[in-house]
Amino acid sequence: MLAKIRSILFLPLFYGGSTPIIIMSFIVAVFSESGTHYMAQVWSRYHYFCARYILGIRVEIKGKIRNEPLLYVFKHESMFETIDLLRIFDKPVVIAKKELLVIPLWGWIAKRHGLLGIDRNGGGAAMRQIIKQAKKAVADGRPIVIFAEGSRAHHGQRPELQTGFAGVYKLMGLPLVPVALDSGIVSPRDTFVQNSGVITYAVQDEIEPGLDRDDIRNRVHTAINMLND
């Protein structure tokens, strides 16, 4: 019951508070890319503040998050990590489904920040365009983040990685860092009720570039699911 009450309080406070931040972000984004990055941090930190002090959720990072041109592959169990990564990274470039870019106002700001919308049915041409944009971000020293499973999974589930993931790894030629997490325990999909507790991000050992398709898929799949045992 307490979790339900907290979750009901969280919704208007977070989304109501997000509205002026997003409006301000739109104004800032028109004039300044660096300002867009700053406002993204403000929004993500506001989200964590609400999660911490209303829901009783806190984050523990095991390992080191490096703001370097690396390819980070995250486990995906909740909306929580999609917002929180703007706080734990500095200017991350996220590869996500292109449908996110059509969200009114937010989608334009996200694109301005660096979100790369991939068309899963677009074939090689769409992939090459994404890689071209991602390499430009790498040249600017920014980390690349991808949720290789494609959509959220319940904690304990181990969905296969999207087919395009291995292509991104191969064409980017970057060291890869898998990140396991267990956000689905406290913030499960398919319900608005969120539980108090600790979300762990387990940053795994870096994987060198150049592995073959099957090897990289198997190693990443094992690594990002290590907290599901």
Side-chain angles (χ1 to χ4, degrees), residues 51-69:
R52 180 72 183 88
Y53 293 103
I54 299 173
L55 298 173
I57 295 173
R58 63 183 179 87
V59 165
E60 179 180 355
I61 300 176
K62 294 184 176 180
K64 185 177 181 181
I65 293 288
R66 295 180 295 167
N67 286 294
E68 302 173 13

Side-chain angles (χ1 to χ4, degrees), residues 207-221:
I207 300 174
E208 68 275 15
L211 301 183
D212 65 45
R213 180 178 296 268
D214 289 339
D215 194 6
I216 190 62
R217 286 173 65 87
N218 291 337
R219 288 182 64 175
V220 169
H221 189 264

Side-chain angles (χ1 to χ4, degrees), residues 117-188:
I118 188 167
D119 182 357
R120 294 172 182 171
N121 300 315
M127 177 65 74
R128 286 191 293 272
Q129 181 62 27
I130 288 294
I131 296 303
K132 179 180 178 181
Q133 294 173 291
K135 286 186 174 181
K136 182 179 182 301
V138 166
D140 293 334
R142 300 175 66 179
I144 308 296
V145 179
I146 186 171
F147 295 98
E149 293 166 319
S151 59
R152 290 172 293 169
H154 289 290
H155 186 72
Q157 292 181 334
R158 298 168 174 259
E160 292 299 319
L161 307 184
Q162 292 286 312
T163 56
F165 153 71
V168 172
Y169 164 77
K170 179 180 179 181
L171 294 172
M172 290 302 300
L174 292 174
L176 182 152
V177 180
V179 181
L181 52 80
D182 55 5
S183 59
I185 296 175
V186 301
S187 183

